[in-house]
């Protein structure tokens, strides 16, 4: 078998066999097939798409490209959660301690930033010393001891996805349904959870821009999960504007901490409660969604969710004091207002553009080797439906390199549409696929 023939077959619209998919995944994982050939194949897949059997084969090949975690040493129903990616999507940072504080063991594998979206693993590294590369033993021990562990992909767990994810991030090949479904589900299957709750984003900040595509992606992933014997449910949620106000690694950690203190943005808090209740019900910790929501609200009110975050940070090598004093997290050298050029209602915020502004400030990677600046990003002051006066701040840039200010300001202003008509408010939760 030759990689060249596989690329050409897909480029010409052919359907790859299971053997061909296994061949390129194995070869790429072992370093025998170079990045440039896999980039070409990713682009061919992007344009020609994959069939359902191809997507299923790709998912399984990636899941089996390393070890499959056996979590049977952890008592109880292990529930994992994964988002398809959004802007300001710091959900895992607040949600997982909430759920763990309610008694559901959280054993989660997360990713780094991808395209215009941020990643949980980068955000967690805002805590100096935080270890995202746990061994299997540490991962299991932490879940057994404190009820929560989050790790990145090691060389042993779904390594094919780890390599492909980093490659897609810098080759404009992220937003393809099959590549997203196989990337997420391969990790989830390899990480061994009993139940999986998926947050499938839709809108201008999501990889799936239309509701129709988001529902199709949700259905595909739920099918793969259930077929593999994992109880899987997907919540399709709005990503037509950033979630909450903060966009950027350490800034999002701070907003997640505020949320665990009961002082978070309304949209973000509502999403955490919805996903959390799905997790509690899937994990048999609550009999229905209303009971689950009350449990989650209780762990915020009594401080046990915040305490759980501090325990989790400490168990993975960070300083738990930073949870109570988040001003110790990385902070940018300058905070600069972006002023509204006109008066009116914010009618739309082109959401992926806000994510790109954060990347331009240094919050994401330009190449696979790029170092990211954990301190930079944006804090929105006005969101869709808000009224703004001319000259009032639309957002604040948290910036270290002031030479980037002009380009980012222009791009952000282009992302905001301001007009006389008040826009209709959009629904946060679009539907649930189970
Ligand atoms: N999250 C992932 O893990 N993979 C994708 O492709 C998109 C979002």
């Amino acid at each position: 078998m030759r990689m060249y023939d596989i690329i050409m077959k897909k480029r010409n619209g052919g359907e790859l066999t299971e053997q061909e998919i296994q061949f390129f995944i194995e070869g790429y994982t072992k370093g025998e097939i170079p990045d440039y050939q896999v980039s070409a194949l990713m682009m061919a897949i992007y344009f020609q798409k994959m069939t359902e059997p191809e997507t299923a084969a790709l998912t399984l090949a990636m899941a089996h490209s390393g070890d499959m975690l056996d979590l049977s040493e952890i008592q109880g129903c292990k529930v994992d959660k994964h988002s398809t990616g959004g802007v300001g999507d710091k959900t895992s940072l607040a949600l997982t301690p909430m759920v763990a504080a309610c008694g559901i063991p959280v054993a989660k594998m997360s990713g780094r930033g991808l395209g215009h979206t941020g990643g949980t693993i980068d955000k967690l590294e805002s805590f100096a010393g935080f270890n995202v590369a746990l061994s299997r033993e540490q991962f299991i021990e932490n879940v057994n001891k404190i009820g929560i562990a989050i790790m990145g992909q090691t060389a042993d767990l779904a390594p094919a996805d780890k390599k492909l994810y980093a490659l897609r991030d810098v080759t404009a090949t992220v937003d393809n349904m099959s590549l997203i479904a196989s990337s997420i589900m391969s990790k989830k299957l390899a990480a061994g959870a009993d139940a999986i709750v998926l947050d499938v984003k839709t809108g201008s900040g999501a990889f799936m821009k239309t509701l129709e595509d988001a529902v199709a992606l949700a259905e595909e992933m739920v099918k793969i999960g259930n077929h593999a014997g994992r109880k899987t449910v997907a919540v399709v949620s709005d990503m037509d504007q950033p979630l909450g106000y903060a966009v950027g690694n350490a800034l999002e950690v701070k907003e997640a901490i505020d949320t665990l203190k009961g002082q978070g943005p309304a949209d973000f808090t509502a999403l955490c409660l919805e996903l959390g209740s799905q997790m509690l019900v899937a994990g048999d910790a609550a009999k229905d969604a209303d009971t689950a929501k009350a449990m989650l609200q209780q762990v915020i009110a009594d401080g046990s969710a915040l305490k759980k975050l501090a325990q989790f940070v400490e168990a993975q090598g960070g300083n738990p004091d930073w949870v109570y004093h988040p001003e110790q997290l990385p902070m940018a050298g300058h905070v600069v207002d972006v002023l509204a050029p006109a008066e009116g209602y914010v009618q739309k915020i082109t959401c992926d553009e806000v994510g790109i502004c954060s990347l331009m400030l240094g919050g994401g990677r330009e190449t696979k080797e790029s170092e990211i600046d954990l301190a930079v990003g944006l804090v929105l002051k006005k969101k869709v439906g808000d009224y703004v006066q001319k000259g009032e701040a639309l957002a604040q840039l948290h910036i270290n390199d002031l030479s980037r200010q002009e380009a980012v300001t222009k791009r952000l202003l282009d992302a905001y549409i301001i007009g006389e008509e008040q826009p209709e408010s959009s629904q946060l939760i679009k539907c649930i696929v189970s």
Side-chain angles (χ1 to χ4, degrees), residues 82-86 109-112 114 117 153 161 165 168 173-185 187-188 207 217:
H82 204 90
S83 159
T84 57
M109 185 158 36
S110 287
R112 296 195 179 274
L114 185 65
T117 70
Q153 279 152 290
D161 175 60
Y165 190 94
R168 287 166 57 221
T173 51
V174 174
D175 46 341
N176 171 276
M177 199 180 300
S178 298
L179 295 179
I180 296 175
S182 56
S183 163
I184 292 178
M185 295 311 291
K187 278 192 280 279
K188 301 298 99 176
F207 294 123
L217 173 62

Side-chain angles (χ1 to χ4, degrees), residues 92-94 96-98 100 106 120-134 138 142-143 145-151 252-254 256-257 260 304-326 328-330:
S92 293
L93 300 174
T96 52
M98 284 162 67
V106 175
T120 303
I121 290 297
D122 291 331
K123 291 170 200 177
L124 285 170
E125 284 181 344
S126 302
F127 291 101
F130 193 97
N131 179 16
V132 296
L134 301 178
Q138 282 171 309
N142 287 6
V143 182
K145 222 158 59 189
I146 59 164
I148 176 169
I150 299 184
M151 64 191 285
E252 294 188 37
V253 171
K254 285 188 195 123
I257 290 172
L260 291 175
S304 50
L306 189 68
K307 192 165 159 212
K308 188 57 71 185
L309 177 66
Q311 283 177 340
F312 160 54
V313 168
E314 186 171 24
Q316 293 197 211
N319 184 344
D321 192 46
W322 289 20
V323 169
Y324 300 103
H325 299 283
Q328 298 181 81
L329 287 159

